[in-house]
Amino acid sequence: MKATTKIMLLLLLNFMVIACSSPLKVITDYDTKADFSRFQTFSFYQLTDKGPGLSELNQQRIINAIRDELVKKGFKEDLTNPDLLVNATAIVTEEKQVTSTNYYNYGGYYRPYRWGPTYVGGSTVYNVSELREGSLVIDIIDASTKHLIWQGTGNKEIDTGLKKPETEVPAAVAKILAGFPPQPKQK
């Protein structure tokens, strides 16, 4: 097999693995009247988590990822007099999903020259599965007015724990903050 063919197969395999995982769905909203060009500094509220278990390590990863993204965008962290306050809330919910499959049986038996009794039967199989969904909500608040001016939410179904949290958390935060600050509307 040629080297280029091997590389193409590896790339295809990686693409299939990525495509099969649940994608992060991002929703953003902002105050269209806010002048985002006047904001230069930020500080954090405390990260909160709701629902079953967000480890302290992942809390710190989220805060660090948000900090890094805002610094990349030209903002500076100011603990004493920030222009923006950043609040992050992680929500993990667990739900049970019940599905059912019905099986119907019709028929009888056949022997040469004669049919056996006909019967109708059925059964239902129930499957119960646990679904975990994680959401990360990032609120950005004007520190002077204490009003929410931007919000980004990322939602993803979580089958298991994060396999590579050192890279997955920053990637998710980067995707959520991709639309911050919003670009001024063209006239």
Side-chain angles (χ1 to χ4, degrees):
M1 212 186 257
K2 291 183 178 181
T4 54
T5 306
K6 287 181 183 178
I7 291 172
M8 293 301 286
L9 285 173
L10 284 173
L11 288 173
L12 181 62
L13 181 63
N14 283 337
F15 177 74
M16 288 173 57
V17 168
I18 290 169
C20 291
S21 66
S22 174
L24 179 71
K25 297 173 194 150
V26 175
I27 301 168
T28 60
D29 193 12
Y30 66 96
D31 180 355
T32 58
K33 295 177 184 158
D35 179 11
F36 287 89
S37 64
R38 68 182 183 90
F39 302 115
Q40 298 174 0
T41 60
F42 71 94
S43 185
F44 284 96
Y45 281 157
Q46 187 65 29
L47 174 77
T48 58
D49 65 14
K50 297 178 182 176
L54 182 66
S55 74
E56 189 175 330
L57 291 171
N58 282 334
Q59 288 179 3
Q60 197 57 49
R61 286 181 183 111
I62 292 169
I63 290 170
N64 291 339
I66 294 171
R67 179 182 292 118
D68 292 346
E69 282 301 310
L70 290 176
V71 167
K72 283 181 197 174
K73 293 174 180 283
F75 295 93
K76 294 182 179 135
E77 189 169 12
D78 181 349
L79 303 176
T80 57
N81 191 24
D83 299 327
L84 299 171
L85 298 172
V86 180
N87 185 38
T89 304
I91 304 166
V92 178
T93 57
E94 290 183 349
E95 297 177 7
K96 290 186 190 272
Q97 180 179 16
V98 179
T99 58
S100 64
T101 306
N102 296 317
Y103 297 99
Y104 295 102
N105 300 317
Y106 297 101
Y109 64 88
Y110 173 76
R111 292 192 181 160
Y113 312 110
R114 161 176 114 119
W115 277 96
T118 301
Y119 65 92
V120 177
S123 63
T124 303
V125 175
Y126 294 96
N127 295 314
V128 179
S129 58
E130 298 273 334
L131 290 178
R132 292 180 72 201
E133 183 165 295
S135 299
L136 178 61
V137 181
I138 301 173
D139 295 326
I140 299 185
I141 298 151
D142 182 337
S144 63
T145 64
K146 303 293 190 258
H147 286 116
L148 178 69
I149 58 170
W150 188 91
Q151 184 176 63
T153 304
N155 297 306
K156 181 175 180 170
E157 187 177 316
I158 305 169
D159 295 331
T160 59
L162 298 174
K163 290 176 180 65
K164 296 180 182 176
E166 300 82 19
T167 57
E168 291 178 48
V169 169
V173 168
K175 192 170 179 180
I176 294 168
L177 286 174
F180 180 80
Q183 299 301 316
K185 295 192 178 192
Q186 302 294 328
K187 292 183 180 182

